[in-house]
Amino acid sequence: MILDLFFPNRCLNCNRIIDGNLIVCIICFEQIRFTHNNYFDDNFIKQKCKLLFPVENAFALMHFSQENLSRKIIHELKYKSREKIGKTLAEWTTEQLDFNDNEPDLLVSVPLHPKKLKERGYNQLHLFTENLSEFYNIPFDHDFIKRNHYSKAQALKDKQHRMETTNPFSITKNISGKHILLIDDVFTTGNTLASIAWEILKAGDNKVSVLVMAIDE
């Protein structure tokens, strides 16, 4: 296309011209620190979750640390209007995550407050979740969890303020006896996932597992 000639797609890391469906070049792809988690193992993200709430299984796609490529990728996804990056991250996830015929019943992503959704124009987790849903043939529900309060980004809050937040989420539907896979972008303190998990667990005889794009070191 003409636009591709004048505005070619470039690698997020080295600025090399790449195929329009890619986000990094082959060389820079090797710099991404994938966790290679086994979803069913007692891995480090599961250990962190277990300190906060009962969790069945957990998976993190990438490591997330200061100035690494994973951080750049997620920053572009969340703040630079590059929603399609979610599809690429979903493809990378499906290459590493095998449920071994023990799939969850429902995929649920962390919601944005309606005001934040309007400001950003999209939820950075929706396309990611929808592509996982299609690949694994597991239903998703973007309306299952409601965010009750508008607040500034977690990354801009200090730890004490994050810990003081109470009841930020609520469940919009009755559900019991289900295995829910909670999906978020970055696991930092884990407080957001814990808040949602406890609402799901209190609602009935449910189980919770976790999937994140990256885990903060």
Side-chain angles (χ1 to χ4, degrees):
M1 295 176 63
I2 295 178
L3 286 177
D4 294 332
L5 294 175
F6 290 98
F7 303 100
N9 187 41
R10 294 182 179 273
C11 173
L12 289 183
N13 195 48
C14 69
N15 210 37
R16 182 182 286 108
I17 294 176
I18 55 176
D19 185 271
N21 294 321
L22 302 177
I23 58 176
V24 294
C25 68
I26 296 176
I27 296 174
C28 290
F29 179 79
E30 298 299 324
Q31 299 179 31
I32 298 174
R33 294 184 57 215
F34 292 105
T35 66
H36 301 290
N37 281 160
N38 185 314
Y39 173 73
F40 297 101
D41 284 351
D42 191 26
N43 54 54
F44 52 88
I45 184 171
K46 183 175 180 179
Q47 292 172 8
K48 287 177 177 289
C49 288
K50 285 165 63 176
L51 297 175
L52 301 169
F53 58 92
V55 64
E56 295 297 312
N57 304 295
F59 176 89
L61 177 65
M62 302 178 290
H63 293 280
F64 186 88
S65 59
Q66 190 69 27
E67 302 304 324
N68 73 356
L69 185 49
S70 300
R71 191 182 192 94
K72 290 182 182 179
I73 290 170
I74 292 183
H75 187 273
E76 290 285 323
L77 169 65
K78 294 181 67 171
Y79 305 117
K80 299 295 184 179
S81 300
R82 297 194 62 176
E83 184 181 8
K84 290 185 177 179
I85 287 177
K87 180 178 180 180
T88 300
L89 293 178
E91 292 172 352
W92 293 351
T93 299
T94 61
E95 292 170 358
Q96 298 192 36
L97 175 57
D98 187 349
F99 291 117
N100 295 329
D101 297 323
N102 190 18
E103 293 90 353
D105 298 307
L106 184 68
L107 307 183
V108 173
S109 56
V110 174
L112 296 177
H113 188 274
K115 183 177 179 181
K116 178 63 69 65
L117 182 61
K118 185 176 181 180
E119 291 173 355
R120 186 172 296 172
Y122 62 97
N123 183 316
Q124 72 275 7
L125 298 172
H126 282 183
L127 190 60
F128 177 76
T129 301
E130 290 160 13
N131 277 269
L132 293 178
S133 172
E134 181 178 1
F135 181 86
Y136 293 113
N137 194 28
I138 303 171
F140 67 88
D141 189 342
H142 293 325
D143 300 316
F144 180 73
I145 297 291
K146 175 185 176 183
R147 186 183 287 265
N148 297 319
H149 310 294
Y150 174 80
S151 61
K152 59 186 178 180
Q154 286 286 91
L156 300 180
K157 297 180 182 180
D158 58 39
K159 183 174 181 180
Q160 182 178 0
H161 189 183
R162 288 198 295 266
M163 294 294 290
E164 291 172 351
T165 302
T166 58
N167 301 321
F169 301 97
S170 58
I171 294 177
T172 63
K173 303 172 184 178
N174 294 326
I175 190 169
S176 181
K178 299 296 183 181
H179 184 183
I180 309 298
L181 181 63
L182 287 182
I183 297 174
D184 203 359
D185 45 30
V186 181
F187 186 105
T188 50
T189 64
N191 292 326
T192 295
L193 289 170
S195 296
I196 297 175
W198 280 115
E199 292 299 314
I200 293 172
L201 293 169
K202 288 188 299 182
D205 185 24
N206 299 308
K207 297 187 294 185
V208 172
S209 290
V210 165
L211 187 161
V212 296
M213 296 173 176
I215 183 166
D216 197 349
E217 300 176 337

